[in-house]
Amino acid sequence: MTRTSWLQNRHIVLGVTGGIACYKACELTRELGRRGALVQIVMTEAATAFVSPLTFQALTNQEVRISVLDAKAEAGMSHIELARWADLILIAPCTANTLAQLATGQASDLLTTLWTASECDKAIAPSMNQQMWKHVQTRENLALLIDLGVAVIGPDSGIQACGDIGSGRMTEPMEVVNTLESQLARGPLAHRKVVITAGPTYEPIDPVRYLANRSSGKMGFALAAAASRLGGSVTLISGPAHLETPSGVARIDIETAQEMLVAVENSLDDTDIFIGAAAVCDMRPAKPSTNKLKKSIDNLSTIALTENVDVIQAVANDRRRPTLVIGFAAETDSVLENAKEKLLAKSLDAVIANCVANGDIFGLDNTQVTLIQNDMENPLTPGTKAEVAMEIMTFISKFLSKRI
Ligand code: CTP
C-alpha cells in the first residue's frame, strides 16, 4: 500500500476567481478529491462567468458558496464556521485583483472574507497576463503575501490565452497538488508514515451479541490527530468508536481483532511508527453462531473461547518492522512493572502505561500516563487526552529522529 496522502481527510476551501484558468480548477478539484481531501468550493462572482457553479457542485457533491449574504447557506454553515472548518484555503486560479485584495486585507466578498477570518494554511496559484504578473504593484502584493507565510505555487511560463508569451499561466492541477503535498506537510513527522490502532474490538458470539471492552478510542484518535498536526501521514485503524475522524487522517474501520490484523498488515509497508492504542480483545468465541442463540443456560454458559492474535507483537516481529513500535499497557495494579513486562515480552521500543483501576479512564477526556523505555520512566503531565497525545507524539518524533 502506498503512503497515505497528506491531503487525506483535510478540509480544503478551494477558492476559484475569475480568469480563463477557471477550467483548470475543475481538474484540480477532482485531483484533490482523488487524494482524499474534503473540498468546499467558494467562487467569486467573476469566476461564475467562466465555469458554472453546477460543474463544481457535481464534482464535489457540495453546494458551491459564492456570496457572504446568502441566508440559506449561512444557516447551514456560516462563513465563520467555514473559516474555522478549513485546514487550508487554496485560491486557484488567483487573479491579480484577488491577489491585491488579499495583500491589503480586504474582505469584499465571501472568499476574501474567509481568507481574513481563518488562521489556517493558505496557498495561491496565480494566473494572469504576463504584463500584470510583472507589474510592480503585483510584485509588492506578492512579497507581502509571501511574508505572511502564504505558499505561492507557480505561475508557469508559456503561451497565454491572450496570445502573449511569458510568465502568468496557472500551474497545471497535478503539479499544484504535488506542490501542496510537499510544501504543507511540515513538522517533525513530515513525510513519515504513522499507523495507529484505536478503540475496542467486537468479537461476535452470534449475529446479535459480542464480547468487547470499555475502550472509547479517544486516546488513539487523539494520537492520530497529534501525529497529523506534526506533519505525519497517518492511518488510523479503529474498532467501533463514535468519534470524528481527525483532519488529515486516513481511517480504516474494523470490528474484530482478526480484521484489525489484516488492516494493519495491509498498511505496514514503509511505516515509520506503529502505535498500538487499541484495546484488542484477547479472546474470541471459537465458533460464533450464525443464528441468534436462545437464552438457555446451556447455550450461553458454555461459549468456547479461543485466543486472538497479538496484533502489536505481529508488527514487532514482521520483516517490515517499523522503526518504532509503541504499545500501551492499561493496568489496574502494579502498573509500571506490568508495563515493563509487556515492553520486553512484545519486543517494543516504548510502552505508554496508564492506570485503569475502577475503569475510571475509559471514555474520559483527561488522562495520566507514564512513558517507559528500557530503564527510563517518564511520567507525563496529566491533562486532556489531546494534550497528553501531543506530548507523546512530540516525544516519539524526537525518539524517531535519534533512531534514523
Ligand atoms: N495488543 C494487541 N493485540 C492483542 C492484545 C494487545 O495489539 N491481541 C496491544 C495493545 O494494543 C497494547 C498492548 O498490546 O498496545 C498491550 O495491551 P494490553 O491489553 O494492556 O495487554 P495484553 O497483552 O492484552 O495483556 P493483559 O490483557 O494480560 O494485560
Side-chain angles (χ1 to χ4, degrees):
M1 188 186 261
T2 52
R3 195 167 281 265
T4 314
S5 168
W6 180 86
L7 290 162
Q8 182 76 40
N9 209 35
R10 290 278 163 202
H11 298 175
I12 299 185
V13 166
L14 175 56
V16 184
T17 68
I20 182 62
C22 274
Y23 75 93
K24 291 189 182 177
C26 301
E27 188 50 41
L28 181 57
T29 305
R30 291 204 64 183
E31 190 52 33
L32 289 169
R34 270 190 214 115
R35 298 199 198 188
L38 306 174
V39 182
Q40 171 64 58
I41 302 287
V42 176
M43 298 177 83
T44 60
E45 282 291 349
T48 63
F50 289 89
V51 176
S52 159
L54 197 57
T55 306
F56 289 109
Q57 183 177 311
L59 289 170
T60 58
N61 282 327
Q62 294 290 334
E63 225 171 280
V64 169
R65 301 284 294 262
I66 300 165
S67 168
V68 80
L69 303 173
D70 180 335
K72 189 170 144 261
E74 284 290 307
M77 194 196 293
S78 75
H79 63 280
I80 294 299
E81 283 168 321
L82 188 53
R84 288 196 196 115
W85 173 87
D87 296 314
L88 166 72
I89 302 179
L90 163 66
I91 303 187
C94 181
T95 59
N97 179 39
T98 300
L99 201 144
Q101 290 191 40
L102 301 178
T104 49
Q106 292 182 50
S108 54
D109 58 11
L110 177 61
L111 184 57
T112 48
T113 301
L114 287 174
W115 183 277
T116 47
S118 179
E119 286 188 320
C120 71
D121 283 324
K122 313 251 172 67
I124 58 170
S127 168
M128 64 196 74
N129 165 270
Q130 51 88 25
Q131 203 55 52
M132 293 167 88
W133 178 245
K134 279 197 286 199
H135 193 282
V136 62
Q137 198 63 61
T138 305
R139 312 311 307 164
E140 280 179 19
N141 291 336
L142 193 71
L144 269 169
L145 290 178
I146 291 171
D147 227 35
L148 291 170
V150 175
V152 179
I153 304 169
D156 289 352
S157 305
I159 301 181
Q160 300 201 291
C162 56
D164 278 7
I165 297 176
S167 216
R169 285 159 50 119
M170 181 180 140
T171 301
E172 293 307 313
M174 190 65 96
E175 184 61 28
V176 171
V177 180
N178 287 340
T179 310
L180 279 180
E181 295 237 43
S182 58
Q183 282 200 9
L184 294 179
R186 291 184 296 247
L189 291 178
H191 311 297
R192 300 271 164 234
K193 181 172 166 186
V194 184
V195 175
I196 299 174
T197 63
T201 61
Y202 284 5
E203 309 297 336
I205 295 170
D206 65 18
V208 182
R209 306 176 180 94
Y210 54 80
L211 287 182
N213 56 62
R214 290 174 182 276
S215 169
S216 66
K218 281 186 179 173
M219 196 62 213
F221 276 62
L223 286 165
S228 170
R229 275 210 301 283
L230 294 178
S233 163
V234 185
T235 301
L236 176 65
I237 299 168
S238 177
H242 304 287
L243 297 169
E244 226 176 272
T245 310
S247 173
V249 171
R251 172 173 175 175
I252 301 171
D253 286 317
I254 53 83
E255 284 215 342
T256 66
Q258 285 168 304
E259 289 167 4
M260 180 172 278
L261 180 70
V262 171
V264 165
E265 283 180 340
N266 288 340
S267 305
L268 216 52
D269 283 352
D270 304 321
T271 296
D272 298 288
I273 301 168
F274 177 86
I275 305 176
V280 186
C281 284
D282 295 318
M283 302 286 170
R284 68 174 188 276
K287 285 192 185 136
S289 169
T290 47
N291 304 320
K292 185 185 170 199
L293 296 172
K294 287 296 167 194
K295 62 173 176 184
S296 84
I297 195 76
D298 288 348
N299 276 339
L300 297 175
S301 63
T302 54
I303 297 167
L305 298 177
T306 186
E307 203 173 337
N308 265 332
V309 66
D310 193 303
V311 178
I312 204 165
Q313 206 158 3
V315 171
N317 293 327
D318 197 285
R319 62 181 168 75
R320 300 163 295 168
R321 189 190 199 281
T323 311
L324 295 181
V325 181
I326 296 174
F328 270 75
E331 307 292 339
T332 54
D333 41 83
S334 309
V335 177
L336 300 183
E337 291 72 19
N338 284 331
K340 281 180 196 163
E341 263 177 37
K342 283 178 187 166
L343 176 81
L344 292 176
K346 301 194 185 203
S347 316
L348 307 179
D349 298 288
V351 164
I352 298 149
N354 62 348
C355 179
V356 291
N358 311 320
D360 63 359
I361 203 85
F362 296 110
L364 294 185
D365 289 325
N366 281 48
T367 190
Q368 181 168 10
V369 302
T370 302
L371 245 156
I372 302 175
Q373 290 167 276
N374 297 325
D375 297 333
M376 195 207 70
E377 284 172 22
N378 183 7
L380 302 189
T381 321
T384 63
K385 286 183 177 168
E387 288 163 350
V388 172
M390 186 46 92
E391 204 177 337
I392 292 172
M393 286 315 309
T394 305
F395 176 90
I396 291 175
S397 66
K398 287 183 189 151
F399 190 11
L400 181 70
S401 63
K402 282 186 204 146
R403 278 286 179 92
I404 49 179

